[in-house]
Short mmCIF file of all heavy atoms in Angstrom, two decimals:
data_model
loop_
_atom_site.label_atom_id
_atom_site.label_comp_id
_atom_site.label_asym_id
_atom_site.label_seq_id
_atom_site.Cartn_x
_atom_site.Cartn_y
_atom_site.Cartn_z
N ASP A 121 136.82 71.20 90.28
CA ASP A 121 135.79 72.20 90.56
C ASP A 121 136.01 72.79 91.95
O ASP A 121 136.21 72.06 92.92
CB ASP A 121 134.41 71.51 90.48
CG ASP A 121 133.26 72.48 90.46
OD1 ASP A 121 133.35 73.55 91.11
OD2 ASP A 121 132.25 72.18 89.81
N PHE A 122 136.00 74.10 92.04
CA PHE A 122 136.16 74.77 93.34
C PHE A 122 135.16 74.24 94.37
O PHE A 122 135.48 74.10 95.54
CB PHE A 122 136.01 76.29 93.22
CG PHE A 122 137.13 76.96 92.49
CD1 PHE A 122 136.90 77.57 91.27
CD2 PHE A 122 138.40 77.01 93.03
CE1 PHE A 122 137.93 78.21 90.60
CE2 PHE A 122 139.44 77.65 92.36
CZ PHE A 122 139.20 78.24 91.14
N SER A 123 133.95 73.96 93.90
CA SER A 123 132.92 73.48 94.84
C SER A 123 133.26 72.11 95.39
O SER A 123 132.85 71.77 96.51
CB SER A 123 131.53 73.47 94.17
OG SER A 123 131.50 72.54 93.12
N GLU A 124 134.03 71.30 94.66
CA GLU A 124 134.44 69.99 95.16
C GLU A 124 135.49 70.14 96.26
O GLU A 124 135.45 69.43 97.27
CB GLU A 124 134.99 69.13 94.01
CG GLU A 124 135.37 67.74 94.42
CD GLU A 124 134.20 66.86 94.85
OE1 GLU A 124 133.03 67.28 94.74
OE2 GLU A 124 134.47 65.76 95.33
N ILE A 125 136.41 71.09 96.09
CA ILE A 125 137.38 71.37 97.15
C ILE A 125 136.63 71.82 98.39
O ILE A 125 136.90 71.35 99.51
CB ILE A 125 138.40 72.43 96.71
CG1 ILE A 125 139.16 72.02 95.46
CG2 ILE A 125 139.39 72.71 97.85
CD1 ILE A 125 139.96 73.13 94.83
N LYS A 126 135.68 72.72 98.20
CA LYS A 126 134.90 73.21 99.33
C LYS A 126 134.12 72.08 99.99
O LYS A 126 134.13 71.93 101.22
CB LYS A 126 133.94 74.31 98.89
CG LYS A 126 133.07 74.83 100.00
CD LYS A 126 132.07 75.87 99.53
CE LYS A 126 131.20 76.32 100.69
NZ LYS A 126 130.19 77.28 100.27
N ARG A 127 133.45 71.26 99.19
CA ARG A 127 132.60 70.20 99.74
C ARG A 127 133.43 69.25 100.63
O ARG A 127 133.04 68.92 101.74
CB ARG A 127 131.95 69.40 98.61
CG ARG A 127 131.00 68.30 99.11
CD ARG A 127 130.47 67.45 97.97
NE ARG A 127 131.50 66.62 97.34
CZ ARG A 127 131.98 65.49 97.89
NH1 ARG A 127 131.54 65.06 99.06
NH2 ARG A 127 132.90 64.78 97.25
N VAL A 128 134.58 68.86 100.16
CA VAL A 128 135.40 67.89 100.88
C VAL A 128 136.20 68.57 102.00
O VAL A 128 136.12 68.16 103.17
CB VAL A 128 136.35 67.15 99.92
CG1 VAL A 128 137.31 66.26 100.68
CG2 VAL A 128 135.52 66.34 98.91
N MET A 129 136.96 69.59 101.65
CA MET A 129 137.90 70.15 102.62
C MET A 129 137.23 71.06 103.64
O MET A 129 137.58 71.05 104.81
CB MET A 129 139.04 70.86 101.90
CG MET A 129 139.92 69.93 101.07
SD MET A 129 140.56 68.50 101.98
CE MET A 129 141.55 69.31 103.24
N GLN A 130 136.25 71.85 103.21
CA GLN A 130 135.53 72.69 104.17
C GLN A 130 134.80 71.80 105.17
O GLN A 130 134.79 72.08 106.37
CB GLN A 130 134.53 73.59 103.45
CG GLN A 130 133.72 74.48 104.39
CD GLN A 130 134.37 75.82 104.62
OE1 GLN A 130 134.74 76.50 103.68
NE2 GLN A 130 134.52 76.21 105.86
N THR A 131 134.20 70.72 104.68
CA THR A 131 133.50 69.79 105.57
C THR A 131 134.47 69.19 106.58
O THR A 131 134.16 69.12 107.78
CB THR A 131 132.79 68.69 104.75
OG1 THR A 131 131.84 69.30 103.90
CG2 THR A 131 132.11 67.68 105.67
N TRP A 132 135.65 68.76 106.11
CA TRP A 132 136.62 68.15 107.04
C TRP A 132 137.09 69.17 108.06
O TRP A 132 137.14 68.90 109.27
CB TRP A 132 137.82 67.56 106.28
CG TRP A 132 138.68 66.77 107.21
CD1 TRP A 132 138.56 65.46 107.50
CD2 TRP A 132 139.77 67.28 108.00
NE1 TRP A 132 139.50 65.10 108.43
CE2 TRP A 132 140.26 66.20 108.75
CE3 TRP A 132 140.36 68.51 108.14
CZ2 TRP A 132 141.33 66.32 109.64
CZ3 TRP A 132 141.43 68.65 109.04
CH2 TRP A 132 141.90 67.56 109.77
N ILE A 133 137.43 70.38 107.62
CA ILE A 133 137.90 71.42 108.53
C ILE A 133 136.80 71.80 109.53
O ILE A 133 137.05 71.92 110.72
CB ILE A 133 138.45 72.62 107.76
CG1 ILE A 133 139.80 72.24 107.11
CG2 ILE A 133 138.61 73.85 108.66
CD1 ILE A 133 140.35 73.27 106.14
N ASP A 134 135.58 71.98 109.02
CA ASP A 134 134.47 72.34 109.92
C ASP A 134 134.24 71.25 110.97
O ASP A 134 133.96 71.55 112.14
CB ASP A 134 133.18 72.54 109.12
CG ASP A 134 133.15 73.86 108.37
OD1 ASP A 134 134.04 74.71 108.58
OD2 ASP A 134 132.22 74.04 107.55
N THR A 135 134.35 70.01 110.58
CA THR A 135 134.12 68.89 111.49
C THR A 135 135.25 68.71 112.50
O THR A 135 134.99 68.46 113.68
CB THR A 135 133.93 67.58 110.69
OG1 THR A 135 132.83 67.75 109.80
CG2 THR A 135 133.68 66.40 111.61
N HIS A 136 136.49 68.84 112.06
CA HIS A 136 137.62 68.47 112.89
C HIS A 136 138.37 69.64 113.54
O HIS A 136 138.93 69.46 114.62
CB HIS A 136 138.60 67.64 112.09
CG HIS A 136 138.04 66.33 111.68
ND1 HIS A 136 137.42 66.13 110.48
CD2 HIS A 136 137.99 65.14 112.33
CE1 HIS A 136 137.00 64.87 110.40
NE2 HIS A 136 137.34 64.26 111.51
N LEU A 137 138.41 70.79 112.90
CA LEU A 137 139.25 71.89 113.40
C LEU A 137 138.50 73.14 113.82
O LEU A 137 138.92 73.84 114.76
CB LEU A 137 140.30 72.28 112.35
CG LEU A 137 141.22 71.17 111.85
CD1 LEU A 137 142.19 71.73 110.81
CD2 LEU A 137 141.95 70.50 112.98
N ASP A 138 137.41 73.46 113.14
CA ASP A 138 136.72 74.73 113.39
C ASP A 138 136.14 74.78 114.81
O ASP A 138 135.45 73.84 115.24
CB ASP A 138 135.61 74.95 112.37
CG ASP A 138 135.01 76.34 112.46
OD1 ASP A 138 135.77 77.32 112.57
OD2 ASP A 138 133.78 76.45 112.44
N HIS A 139 136.43 75.85 115.51
CA HIS A 139 135.99 76.08 116.88
C HIS A 139 136.39 74.94 117.82
O HIS A 139 135.63 74.56 118.70
CB HIS A 139 134.48 76.36 116.93
CG HIS A 139 134.16 77.74 116.47
ND1 HIS A 139 134.03 78.04 115.14
CD2 HIS A 139 134.00 78.89 117.15
CE1 HIS A 139 133.76 79.33 115.00
NE2 HIS A 139 133.75 79.88 116.22
N LYS A 140 137.59 74.43 117.58
CA LYS A 140 138.15 73.40 118.44
C LYS A 140 139.51 73.88 118.95
O LYS A 140 140.16 74.71 118.33
CB LYS A 140 138.35 72.10 117.66
CG LYS A 140 137.12 71.58 116.98
CD LYS A 140 136.68 70.29 117.53
CE LYS A 140 135.52 69.62 116.86
NZ LYS A 140 134.67 70.29 115.97
N MET A 141 139.93 73.33 120.09
CA MET A 141 141.29 73.51 120.55
C MET A 141 142.13 72.42 119.90
O MET A 141 141.81 71.23 120.02
CB MET A 141 141.39 73.40 122.07
CG MET A 141 140.79 74.57 122.81
SD MET A 141 141.53 76.18 122.42
CE MET A 141 143.13 76.00 123.12
N ILE A 142 143.15 72.81 119.17
CA ILE A 142 144.04 71.86 118.54
C ILE A 142 145.22 71.69 119.51
O ILE A 142 145.97 72.62 119.77
CB ILE A 142 144.51 72.37 117.16
CG1 ILE A 142 143.29 72.66 116.27
CG2 ILE A 142 145.44 71.35 116.51
CD1 ILE A 142 143.63 73.32 114.94
N LEU A 143 145.34 70.46 120.03
CA LEU A 143 146.30 70.19 121.10
C LEU A 143 147.23 69.05 120.72
O LEU A 143 146.86 68.15 119.96
CB LEU A 143 145.56 69.79 122.38
CG LEU A 143 144.57 70.80 122.96
CD1 LEU A 143 143.76 70.16 124.08
CD2 LEU A 143 145.30 72.04 123.44
N HIS A 144 148.43 69.08 121.29
CA HIS A 144 149.33 67.93 121.19
C HIS A 144 148.72 66.81 122.01
O HIS A 144 148.12 67.05 123.07
CB HIS A 144 150.71 68.31 121.73
CG HIS A 144 151.72 67.23 121.56
ND1 HIS A 144 151.77 66.14 122.38
CD2 HIS A 144 152.72 67.09 120.65
CE1 HIS A 144 152.75 65.35 121.99
NE2 HIS A 144 153.34 65.90 120.94
N LYS A 145 148.87 65.58 121.54
CA LYS A 145 148.23 64.44 122.22
C LYS A 145 148.71 64.26 123.66
O LYS A 145 148.03 63.64 124.47
CB LYS A 145 148.45 63.16 121.43
CG LYS A 145 149.91 62.72 121.38
CD LYS A 145 150.07 61.45 120.57
CE LYS A 145 151.53 61.03 120.55
NZ LYS A 145 151.71 59.82 119.75
N ASN A 146 149.87 64.83 124.02
CA ASN A 146 150.39 64.73 125.39
C ASN A 146 150.17 66.00 126.20
O ASN A 146 150.75 66.16 127.27
CB ASN A 146 151.88 64.40 125.36
CG ASN A 146 152.15 63.05 124.75
OD1 ASN A 146 151.33 62.15 124.84
ND2 ASN A 146 153.29 62.90 124.10
N ASP A 147 149.33 66.91 125.72
CA ASP A 147 149.08 68.14 126.46
C ASP A 147 148.44 67.82 127.81
O ASP A 147 147.41 67.13 127.85
CB ASP A 147 148.18 69.08 125.65
CG ASP A 147 148.17 70.49 126.20
OD1 ASP A 147 147.98 70.66 127.42
OD2 ASP A 147 148.34 71.43 125.41
N PRO A 148 149.02 68.29 128.89
CA PRO A 148 148.47 67.97 130.20
C PRO A 148 147.09 68.55 130.48
O PRO A 148 146.42 68.14 131.44
CB PRO A 148 149.51 68.52 131.19
CG PRO A 148 150.31 69.50 130.43
CD PRO A 148 150.24 69.08 128.98
N ILE A 149 146.63 69.47 129.66
CA ILE A 149 145.29 70.03 129.86
C ILE A 149 144.18 69.14 129.28
O ILE A 149 143.01 69.34 129.54
CB ILE A 149 145.19 71.47 129.29
CG1 ILE A 149 144.04 72.20 129.98
CG2 ILE A 149 144.99 71.46 127.78
CD1 ILE A 149 144.10 73.69 129.83
N LEU A 150 144.56 68.12 128.52
CA LEU A 150 143.59 67.27 127.85
C LEU A 150 142.55 66.67 128.81
O LEU A 150 141.35 66.71 128.47
CB LEU A 150 144.30 66.17 127.05
CG LEU A 150 143.40 65.23 126.26
CD1 LEU A 150 142.52 65.99 125.28
CD2 LEU A 150 144.24 64.19 125.53
N PRO A 151 142.92 66.13 129.97
CA PRO A 151 141.88 65.59 130.87
C PRO A 151 140.84 66.62 131.29
O PRO A 151 139.66 66.29 131.43
CB PRO A 151 142.68 65.09 132.09
CG PRO A 151 144.05 64.82 131.54
CD PRO A 151 144.27 65.86 130.48
N THR A 152 141.25 67.88 131.42
CA THR A 152 140.30 68.94 131.77
C THR A 152 139.32 69.16 130.62
O THR A 152 138.12 69.29 130.85
CB THR A 152 141.05 70.24 132.10
OG1 THR A 152 141.96 70.00 133.16
CG2 THR A 152 140.09 71.35 132.48
N PHE A 153 139.81 69.18 129.40
CA PHE A 153 138.93 69.33 128.24
C PHE A 153 137.96 68.17 128.16
O PHE A 153 136.77 68.35 127.88
CB PHE A 153 139.76 69.44 126.94
CG PHE A 153 140.15 70.85 126.63
CD1 PHE A 153 141.17 71.48 127.34
CD2 PHE A 153 139.51 71.55 125.63
CE1 PHE A 153 141.52 72.78 127.07
CE2 PHE A 153 139.88 72.85 125.34
CZ PHE A 153 140.88 73.47 126.07
N GLN A 154 138.46 66.97 128.40
CA GLN A 154 137.59 65.79 128.35
C GLN A 154 136.54 65.84 129.45
O GLN A 154 135.37 65.56 129.21
CB GLN A 154 138.44 64.52 128.48
CG GLN A 154 139.32 64.29 127.27
CD GLN A 154 140.36 63.21 127.47
OE1 GLN A 154 140.85 62.99 128.57
NE2 GLN A 154 140.72 62.55 126.37
N GLN A 155 136.94 66.21 130.65
CA GLN A 155 136.02 66.28 131.79
C GLN A 155 134.92 67.32 131.55
O GLN A 155 133.77 67.11 131.91
CB GLN A 155 136.79 66.62 133.07
CG GLN A 155 135.93 66.71 134.30
CD GLN A 155 136.74 67.12 135.53
OE1 GLN A 155 137.87 67.60 135.43
NE2 GLN A 155 136.15 66.94 136.69
N MET A 156 135.28 68.44 130.93
CA MET A 156 134.33 69.50 130.69
C MET A 156 133.58 69.35 129.37
O MET A 156 132.79 70.20 128.98
CB MET A 156 135.06 70.85 130.73
CG MET A 156 135.65 71.15 132.09
SD MET A 156 136.48 72.75 132.15
CE MET A 156 135.07 73.82 132.04
N ASN A 157 133.88 68.26 128.64
CA ASN A 157 133.26 67.99 127.35
C ASN A 157 133.47 69.13 126.36
O ASN A 157 132.57 69.50 125.59
CB ASN A 157 131.76 67.68 127.53
CG ASN A 157 131.19 66.94 126.34
OD1 ASN A 157 131.91 66.18 125.69
ND2 ASN A 157 129.92 67.15 126.04
N GLU A 158 134.68 69.68 126.37
CA GLU A 158 135.06 70.76 125.45
C GLU A 158 135.61 70.15 124.17
O GLU A 158 136.27 69.11 124.19
CB GLU A 158 136.12 71.67 126.09
CG GLU A 158 135.57 72.56 127.19
CD GLU A 158 134.61 73.61 126.69
OE1 GLU A 158 134.76 74.11 125.56
OE2 GLU A 158 133.67 73.92 127.43
N PRO A 159 135.35 70.78 123.02
CA PRO A 159 135.82 70.22 121.75
C PRO A 159 137.32 70.42 121.54
O PRO A 159 137.87 71.48 121.85
CB PRO A 159 135.02 71.00 120.70
CG PRO A 159 134.69 72.28 121.36
CD PRO A 159 134.56 72.00 122.83
N TYR A 160 137.98 69.38 121.03
CA TYR A 160 139.41 69.46 120.76
C TYR A 160 139.76 68.53 119.60
O TYR A 160 138.97 67.64 119.23
CB TYR A 160 140.24 69.09 121.98
CG TYR A 160 139.96 67.71 122.51
CD1 TYR A 160 140.65 66.60 122.02
CD2 TYR A 160 139.00 67.49 123.49
CE1 TYR A 160 140.39 65.33 122.48
CE2 TYR A 160 138.73 66.21 123.96
CZ TYR A 160 139.43 65.14 123.46
OH TYR A 160 139.16 63.88 123.91
N TYR A 161 140.93 68.76 119.03
CA TYR A 161 141.49 67.90 118.00
C TYR A 161 142.92 67.61 118.43
O TYR A 161 143.66 68.55 118.76
CB TYR A 161 141.46 68.57 116.63
CG TYR A 161 142.01 67.67 115.54
CD1 TYR A 161 141.19 66.77 114.87
CD2 TYR A 161 143.36 67.71 115.21
CE1 TYR A 161 141.70 65.94 113.89
CE2 TYR A 161 143.87 66.88 114.23
CZ TYR A 161 143.04 65.98 113.58
OH TYR A 161 143.55 65.15 112.62
N LEU A 162 143.30 66.35 118.45
CA LEU A 162 144.63 65.97 118.91
C LEU A 162 145.58 65.75 117.73
O LEU A 162 145.21 65.14 116.73
CB LEU A 162 144.58 64.71 119.75
CG LEU A 162 143.81 64.80 121.06
CD1 LEU A 162 143.87 63.47 121.79
CD2 LEU A 162 144.36 65.92 121.93
N MET A 163 146.81 66.22 117.91
CA MET A 163 147.86 66.02 116.92
C MET A 163 149.02 65.27 117.57
O MET A 163 149.26 65.41 118.78
CB MET A 163 148.36 67.37 116.38
CG MET A 163 147.33 68.13 115.59
SD MET A 163 148.00 69.67 114.88
CE MET A 163 149.21 69.02 113.72
N ASP A 164 149.76 64.53 116.75
CA ASP A 164 150.96 63.85 117.23
C ASP A 164 152.11 64.83 117.40
O ASP A 164 153.08 64.54 118.11
CB ASP A 164 151.38 62.75 116.26
CG ASP A 164 150.41 61.58 116.24
OD1 ASP A 164 149.73 61.36 117.26
OD2 ASP A 164 150.33 60.90 115.21
N ALA A 165 152.02 65.98 116.76
CA ALA A 165 153.07 67.00 116.79
C ALA A 165 152.53 68.26 117.47
O ALA A 165 151.32 68.42 117.64
CB ALA A 165 153.52 67.34 115.37
#
């Protein structure tokens, strides 16, 4: 059901990626984001 894809995947994307900075886990700007309490999602790649 299309609504099942939306329920699961839209929820995951909204929670983890939407309106977030997607950064490499070693990005040197990460401490600044943490200090300013800015939303981000970390990737290994």
Side-chain angles (χ1 to χ4, degrees):
D121 192 326
F122 290 114
S123 65
E124 183 66 7
I125 302 168
K126 178 183 178 183
R127 183 185 69 77
V128 173
M129 295 307 299
Q130 179 92 50
T131 299
W132 189 89
I133 288 171
D134 285 350
T135 301
H136 295 93
L137 304 180
D138 188 45
H139 284 84
K140 305 245 184 345
M141 289 300 293
I142 304 173
L143 302 170
H144 185 282
K145 66 181 181 181
N146 296 329
D147 194 310
I149 202 162
L150 182 57
T152 303
F153 272 75
Q154 292 168 330
Q155 180 183 16
M156 297 181 69
N157 200 30
E158 288 293 327
Y160 59 88
Y161 181 87
L162 296 181
M163 294 184 65
D164 291 333

